[in-house]
Amino acid sequence: LTDQPRVLLSFLGGMSTPALQDRPVSKTQVFCSNLPWSVNGKMLRQAFEEYGEVVDAFVAYNGRSSRGFGYVTFKEAGPAKVAVDTMNAEGFVHTWPGAPISEDDKTRDTRVEMARERPKPRPEPRVHGDRRDGDGDRRRDGDG
């Protein structure tokens, strides 16, 4: 009886994704929340490069407005852990190189933690006139 939910999920194609707290923690990607509104990807990258080689830095936007969070991906795990530990130490003051930070932004307490792994790759964005068949394969409207 205890295997029934697993069988049902398997039958439904594993549609359920694990809760955020149940996902494994990344070893190289850092999640930054409560970023100042004026911080962009370049500034985020520069702030973390002092800890090690950064392969990607991303600030989420809704149109032209920052959503206040972002991700930094390091080449190796060690520098990512050092960055999280250092930036969460008591008394650490976040500085954002590259642009002046407003007085409102200076009061924001940025939180830094290891990111959670994504459950599966993001789907490809839909292109106008394209659609996917039941197998996830892309085809043009009017085909098959």
Side-chain angles (χ1 to χ4, degrees):
L1 245 73
T2 59
D3 287 336
Q4 281 183 333
R6 188 176 310 134
V7 171
L8 180 59
L9 281 177
S10 175
F11 174 73
L12 294 173
M15 290 173 23
S16 176
T17 58
L20 181 63
Q21 67 272 14
D22 295 334
R23 295 181 193 163
V25 176
S26 172
K27 292 182 178 10
T28 58
Q29 191 173 60
V30 175
F31 174 69
C32 305
S33 59
N34 207 31
L35 290 172
W37 304 116
S38 56
V39 169
N40 60 33
K42 182 178 179 181
M43 295 167 68
L44 189 62
R45 175 185 285 272
Q46 289 174 343
F48 280 85
E49 282 179 330
E50 69 180 89
Y51 300 102
E53 186 176 346
V54 173
V55 296
D56 188 41
F58 166 81
V59 173
Y61 282 85
N62 186 11
R64 294 183 62 172
S65 302
S66 170
R67 293 180 61 197
F69 71 90
Y71 294 90
V72 177
T73 305
F74 286 88
K75 183 176 183 179
E76 298 174 354
K81 172 102 171 77
V82 170
V84 169
D85 292 346
T86 302
M87 291 186 162
N88 285 323
E90 190 167 334
F92 180 82
V93 177
H94 291 272
T95 57
W96 303 103
I101 302 296
S102 71
E103 288 304 313
D104 286 343
D105 280 352
K106 287 180 183 177
T107 63
R108 294 175 66 87
D109 187 23
T110 301
R111 292 180 292 275
V112 180
E113 61 188 274
M114 297 308 294
R116 297 287 178 163
E117 296 283 349
R118 295 186 65 83
K120 56 186 169 184
R122 290 182 184 164
E124 287 185 38
R126 290 183 65 135
V127 178
H128 182 68
D130 284 358
R131 63 187 176 117
R132 298 189 188 279
D133 62 19
D135 296 328
D137 293 330
R138 214 199 248 175
R139 62 182 178 171
R140 303 282 303 160
D141 283 338
D143 291 350

